[in-house]
Every structure is written in structure tokens, then in C-alpha cells.
């Protein structure tokens, strides 16, 4: 029997529905607050303008470019992807809330350590890249699945709401970063590469005050993380016993507390046992690899937009505060989209919703280069639409994973699906560096990304899962029962 060190007195399934729903909403709010801090990685497109300029002016890396610093975001995603599985295993050893707390502490400490690491590019990609991603990965899935367990009828909407907090990270922290580092709204003017005139940087001594603020920004962000994560963790509570008992089953696969009322719960246990799949089982399943490859393809667009949205806009917009506001508006689109796409997944099924998402995302990449013809407001609307597509994967994929493979191993299972982000990020880094290094324009890179999204759309169309093995709705007898889920 696996030892879980969470509360000794979990919620009982006999709690009145309204009380449980209210408690679930509080847990959901806590999970959202935590995800807001984890979602600071979406600030990278804004923050990278200052980071690259600092590295060029204040360190020996005077020839570093935006394509090089994409390593930071790539390793963040790699760290997140590799530790999401670890987070699932850790959750079953020490409990959900301790796992979330450990991930939050690790996440905040690595941000603070980057105050020292920023003077070396290779140290920075370890602290603000790989290790930062470790903290995100450990806390990411447990906080989301905990909220889903409290509100099991609305898995898609709950998943969308929690990861909407992740998308809102840029809305909260982009203004903090820009206002702290660049309070006078100075635009970069130094363009060292004639072949890429839109690639501009800040430079000493003209922008000394801006560059001086860059290291201290890590400490400012860490302070915000402490406040929001403390409140978020205090709002979390262990899930109802009907779910937690699945984690603490006895040798015969039936939890001790549910054995005490076998008549009331026998049908529930039978359904759960027949539908749950472990990580070792899902990697042999066709649907897992469809979800995995879908994520690889989608991650081409996610990484490109997250890294280059600001540097692309700087080519024709000389207003740094406006660009930061565009990033914040994009994060609102990112956040809202996760709830909306989650609702689409609930109503239309994963396959239809995902194919619509990928087709729209591909179209936006095809026409992205021409947004410069429509001025800064046209660009702002376009960035909002791009981030609206970015968020969809992070609500549709976790909900589909839980519906298809069950709740018991949900954190570890989604962690395996998320390893696709590691492969996708490395692939996007390779594409961007090779393409730009061989003289290709950003437009060509955007079209390559669009091609991957079209391939992903075709792949998603082969997802044929019917029926939901997961426990989804409340039952009259003992809390929950399964309902059909159709693609």
C-alpha cells in the first residue's frame, strides 16, 4: 500500500453537493494562483529583449542573438516535460499538496538564483531554463488534477480554468518586468545585423539604466511568486475520499475505506478498475501516440509564438510599453482560450476541437508576416489570436488524457504526453537556428511551423476513442458514476 502523507481526514463522499462544489471552487482558485506563477515562462518573449541585451553588453557573449537564447525557453520546457512524470510519482509517495509545495519552492528558488547566474549564459540556461522548468513540471499536473477531482463533472472546463491561470502569467508579469526594467519606455535602437534590421538590442552606455535593472528583476519576480504561491497552497485541500482511495488501494486493488461499504461502491470500483491505465500500459496504446504526436506538432507554433512575438513586432513598432501591453493582451487570449477550448472539448470531443484549433493556428502562421502592413493595432489583434490558439493544447490534451486513460495515474500519464513538448521544443529550436542561420527569413520559418500544424491536424483526425472510462458525474448512491464521452 502506497503511503500518502496528506491530511489524515479527507473529505467524505457524503458531503452535500453544494458544500463539495464550493470547496472545489476554492481549490480551483488556489490551483489557478499557483499556475499564474508557473506561467511566467510566457513572459520570455518580452523578457528576452532585455536578457539578450544584458548578455551582449555586460558579459563576454557579445555576439549572442535571440535564436541563441531560445535555449533558455527550450530547456524550461524540457525540464517541465521530464519532471511532470516525476511529479506524478512523487505525488503518490508524499501526497498531492506536498508535491505541489515542493515544486513551488523549487520554482521560486531557481528564479532567485538567476540573479547571480545572469552573468553567464550557460549558468542562466541551467537556472532559469532547466531547473526553472523542473519546478514548473513538479507542480503543474498535481494542482490541475486536484481541482479536477473536486469538480469531476466538468473536467474540460476545470482543466481549462487552471491552465488559464498559467496563460495569465504573462498578463500579470509582463507589466511588472517592463515597468521595473524599462520605466521610461525606451525602445531598442541598436541593429547590428544589416540582413535582419528588425533584430534590435539595448546597448551600453546609452541604455545603462535599463541594463542595470535586469538582474534585480529576477528577485522581484521571486518575491511575487512567494506571495501568490503561499496563498494558493493555503487554499488547496485533499480531494474527496472517493478519488484518494484509488491511490491508496490495498493488495486486492480495493481501498480499505471503500471495502467498508462494498455494496454501495462495488459498481464504481468495477468501472474504475476496468478503465484505469498505468503509464506502462498507455505507451503501448495507439491513442497515446496520437496525443503525443499532436503535442509535438502544436509545440512548433507554441514555441515560435512564445519566443518571437515581441522581436517580430519590434521590426515595425517603436514603443516598448505598447509591446508589453500586447503581450499582456495575448496572455488574456491565452487564458480565455483555455476555458473556451476546454468547453469545446467537452461538447465536441477532443478530435473535432483539436482539428479546428490546429487548422486556425496554421492559417494564422501562414499570414503572420503580413501583419506589419496593418500597423500596431492590427499586430496587437493578431498576437491576441495567436495566443488564443496557444492555450488550446493545454486544456484539450490533459482532459483527453484523463478521459481516455483514467484518473488513477492521471498526473504521470499526462506527464508522459507532455514529454512531446520536450521533443517539440528541441525541434523548433533546430528549425529556427538552421533556417535563420542559412539566411531564411522569419516568414519562411512561419510557413514551416504552419506545415507542422497541418500535419498535426491530419494526425488528430485518427483519434477514434469512444466512451469514457473515467469517473465523471455524481451518483445517487455514492458520489460519482461514469457517463458516455463521445468523439
Amino acid at each position: 500500500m502506497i503511503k500518502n502523507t496528506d491530511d489524515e481526514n479527507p473529505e467524505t463522499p457524503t458531503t452535500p453537493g453544494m458544500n463539495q462544489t464550493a470547496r472545489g471552487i476554492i481549490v480551483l482558485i488556489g490551483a489557478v494562483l499557483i499556475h499564474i506563477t508557473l506561467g511566467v515562462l510566457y513572459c520570455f518573449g518580452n523578457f528576452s529583449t532585455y536578457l539578450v541585451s544584458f548578455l551582449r553588453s555586460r558579459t563576454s557573449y557579445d555576439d549572442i542573438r535571440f535564436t541563441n537564447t531560445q535555449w533558455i525557453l527550450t530547456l524550461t520546457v524540457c525540464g517541465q516535460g521530464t519532471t511532470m512524470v516525476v511529479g506524478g510519482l512523487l505525488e503518490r509517495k508524499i501526497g498531492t499538496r506536498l508535491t505541489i509545495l515542493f515544486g513551488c519552492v523549487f520554482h521560486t528558488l531557481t528564479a532567485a538564483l538567476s540573479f547571480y547566474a545572469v552573468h553567464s549564459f550557460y549558468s542562466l540556461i541551467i537556472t532559469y531554463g532547466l531547473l526553472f522548468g523542473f519546478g514548473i513540471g513538479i507542480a503543474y499536473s498535481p494542482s490541475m488534477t486536484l481541482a479536477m477531482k473536486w469538480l469531476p463533472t466538468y473536467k474540460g472546463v476545470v482543466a481549462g480554468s487552471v491552465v488559464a491561470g498559467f496563460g495569465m502569467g504573462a498578463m500579470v508579469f509582463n507589466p511588472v518586468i517592463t515597468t521595473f526594467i524599462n520605466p521610461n519606455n525606451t525602445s531598442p535602437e541598436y541593429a547590428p545585423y544589416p540582413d535582419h534590421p528588425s533584430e534590435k538590442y539595448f546597448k551600453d552606455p546609452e541604455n545603462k539604466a535599463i541594463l542595470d535593472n535586469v538582474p534585480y528583476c529576477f528577485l522581484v519576480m521571486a518575491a511575487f511568486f512567494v506571495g501568490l504561491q503561499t496563498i494558493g497552497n493555503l487554499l488547496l485541500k485533499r480531494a474527496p475520499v472517493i478519488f484518494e482511495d484509488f491511490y491508496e488501494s490495498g493488495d486486492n486493488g480495493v481501498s480499505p475505506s471503500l471495502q467498508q461499504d462494498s455494496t454501495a461502491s462495488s459498481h464504481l470500483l468495477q468501472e474504475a478498475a476496468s478503465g484505469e491505465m498505468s503509464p506502462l500500459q498507455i505507451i503501448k496504446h495507439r491513442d497515446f501516440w496520437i496525443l503525443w504526436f499532436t503535442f509535438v506538432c502544436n509545440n512548433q507554433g507554441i514555441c515560435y509564438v512564445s519566443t518571437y512575438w515581441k522581436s517580430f513586432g519590434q521590426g515595425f513598432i517603436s514603443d516598448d510599453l505598447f509591446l508589453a501591453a500586447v503581450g499582456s493582451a495575448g496572455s488574456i487570449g491565452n487564458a480565455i482560450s483555455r476555458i473556451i477550448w476546454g468547453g469545446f472539448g467537452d461538447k465536441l470531443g477532443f478530435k473535432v476541437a483539436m482539428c479546428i484549433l490546429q487548422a486556425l493556428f496554421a492559417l494564422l502562421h501562414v499570414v503572420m508576416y503580413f501583419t506589419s502592413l496593418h500597423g500596431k493595432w492590427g499586430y496587437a489583434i493578431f498576437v491576441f489570436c495567436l495566443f488564443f490558439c496557444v492555450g488550446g493544447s493545454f486544456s484539450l490534451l490533459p482532459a483527453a488524457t484523463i478521459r481516455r486513460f483514467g484518473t488513477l495515474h492521471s498526473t504521470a500519464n499526462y506527464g508522459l504526453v507532455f514529454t512531446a513538448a520536450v521533443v517539440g521544443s528541441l525541434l523548433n529550436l533546430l528549425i529556427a537556428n538552421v533556417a535563420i542561420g542559412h539566411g531564411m527569413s522569419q516568414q519562411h520559418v512561419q510557413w514551416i511551423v504552419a506545415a507542422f500544424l497541418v500535419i498535426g491536424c491530419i494526425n488528430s483526425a485518427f483519434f477514434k476513442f469512444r466512451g469514457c472510462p473515467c469517473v465523471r458525474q455524481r451518483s445517487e448512491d455514492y458520489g460519482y458514476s461514469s457517463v458516455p464521452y463521445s468523439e
Side-chain angles (χ1 to χ4, degrees):
M1 177 174 174
I2 298 170
K3 178 63 176 174
N4 187 318
T5 58
D6 269 338
D7 290 350
E8 294 299 325
N9 297 308
E11 296 292 307
T12 65
T14 56
T15 303
M18 183 60 68
N19 289 344
Q20 177 169 314
T21 300
R23 180 69 246 187
I25 292 173
I26 293 172
V27 171
L28 176 61
I29 292 171
V32 168
L33 289 176
I34 290 169
H35 271 247
I36 287 174
T37 65
L38 303 182
V40 75
L41 70 84
Y42 283 122
C43 295
F44 185 77
N46 181 39
F47 199 15
S48 64
T49 304
Y50 307 114
L51 281 177
V52 181
S53 299
F54 181 89
L55 290 166
R56 290 178 65 93
S57 297
R58 300 292 176 88
T59 71
S60 59
Y61 307 97
D62 55 0
D63 59 347
I64 200 167
R65 302 177 66 175
F66 289 119
T67 52
N68 302 123
T69 54
Q70 191 179 346
W71 274 106
I72 297 174
L73 181 62
T74 298
L75 286 180
T76 301
V77 175
C78 288
Q80 180 183 358
T82 54
T83 53
M84 283 180 70
V85 179
V86 175
L89 299 175
L90 188 62
E91 179 183 7
R92 300 188 66 189
K93 292 292 184 182
I94 66 174
T96 302
R97 292 186 301 162
L98 282 179
T99 300
I100 296 169
L101 180 61
F102 177 76
C104 289
V105 171
F106 198 93
H107 171 256
T108 300
L109 285 177
T110 52
L113 286 173
S114 298
F115 170 78
Y116 302 100
V118 72
H119 298 280
S120 167
F121 174 61
Y122 293 104
S123 297
L124 188 63
I125 64 175
I126 296 298
T127 58
Y128 197 59
L130 188 64
L131 297 180
F132 195 67
F134 284 171
I136 295 173
I138 292 170
Y140 186 97
S141 287
S143 51
M144 178 171 57
T145 54
L146 180 62
M148 285 175 149
K149 291 171 184 177
W150 272 99
L151 301 167
T153 306
Y154 308 101
K155 284 188 174 70
V157 174
V158 171
S161 299
V162 174
V163 294
F166 198 89
M168 288 172 60
M171 182 187 72
V172 174
F173 289 103
N174 267 335
V176 172
I177 291 170
T178 300
T179 303
F180 180 79
I181 296 179
N182 188 11
N184 296 321
N185 193 24
T186 303
S187 296
E189 299 293 341
Y190 180 51
Y193 304 105
D195 293 340
H196 297 277
S198 64
E199 188 174 335
K200 299 177 182 179
Y201 302 96
F202 295 101
K203 184 184 178 183
D204 268 335
E206 296 92 334
N207 308 120
K208 180 180 182 301
I210 292 174
L211 299 176
D212 286 343
N213 291 334
V214 172
Y216 292 96
C217 190
F218 290 105
L219 299 181
V220 172
M221 288 192 294
F224 273 89
F225 296 164
V226 170
L228 290 174
Q229 289 173 356
T230 298
I231 297 172
N233 276 277
L234 289 174
L235 294 179
L236 300 182
K237 191 173 183 63
R238 185 175 176 179
V241 68
I242 196 69
F243 291 108
E244 291 298 331
D245 279 341
F246 293 156
Y247 285 91
E248 301 181 4
S249 58
D251 295 336
N252 61 354
V254 181
S255 63
S257 62
L258 291 184
Q259 288 177 13
Q260 296 173 7
D261 195 348
S262 58
T263 301
S265 59
S266 60
H267 69 284
L268 174 61
L269 292 170
Q270 191 173 31
E271 289 171 350
S274 64
E276 300 290 347
M277 296 180 69
S278 70
L280 290 179
Q281 290 174 314
I282 71 169
I283 61 175
K284 302 174 185 178
H285 203 287
R286 173 179 175 272
D287 285 341
F288 166 78
W289 291 107
I290 291 176
L291 294 175
W292 190 89
F293 188 68
T294 292
F295 209 164
V296 170
C297 294
N298 288 8
N299 215 54
Q300 303 313 301
I302 293 167
C303 286
Y304 183 82
V305 172
S306 299
T307 304
Y308 293 106
W309 70 266
K310 185 177 182 180
S311 60
F312 176 73
Q314 283 177 330
F316 53 93
I317 298 174
S318 297
D319 187 339
D320 210 47
L321 284 179
F322 176 81
L323 289 171
V326 169
S328 295
S331 73
I332 295 174
N334 190 350
I336 293 173
S337 74
R338 296 173 186 230
I339 301 173
I340 294 175
W341 287 113
F344 284 164
D346 284 343
K347 296 294 183 182
L348 304 176
F350 168 79
K351 179 168 66 177
V352 175
M354 181 57 75
C355 287
I356 294 172
L357 166 66
Q358 291 170 312
L360 177 60
F361 209 10
L363 177 63
L364 290 172
H365 276 84
V366 169
V367 301
M368 181 177 180
Y369 192 79
F370 303 103
T371 56
S372 60
L373 303 176
H374 301 285
K376 65 181 187 179
W377 291 108
Y379 167 78
I381 294 171
F382 197 81
V383 169
F384 180 92
C385 293
L386 284 169
F387 275 103
F388 186 86
C389 291
V390 166
S393 296
F394 301 103
S395 56
L396 292 175
L397 285 166
T401 302
I402 289 177
R403 283 170 173 152
R404 181 63 187 90
F405 304 118
T407 306
L408 177 59
H409 304 281
S410 55
T411 301
N413 286 345
Y414 183 58
L416 280 180
V417 174
F418 202 90
T419 58
V422 176
V423 176
S425 298
L426 291 171
L427 180 60
N428 186 259
L429 177 67
L430 178 65
I431 291 170
N433 278 272
V434 171
I436 294 176
H438 284 76
M440 296 176 70
S441 68
Q442 289 286 354
Q443 184 179 18
H444 293 117
V445 178
Q446 292 157 10
W447 288 354
I448 293 172
V449 170
F452 272 97
L453 290 166
V454 171
I455 294 171
C457 183
I458 296 171
N459 170 74
S460 298
F462 286 94
F463 191 83
K464 294 183 178 180
F465 168 58
R466 297 288 191 278
C468 177
C470 307
V471 180
R472 294 190 67 207
Q473 288 187 336
R474 299 183 61 85
S475 76
E476 202 172 310
D477 293 332
Y478 205 88
Y480 304 91
S481 66
S482 63
V483 298
Y485 171 74
S486 172
E487 289 295 348

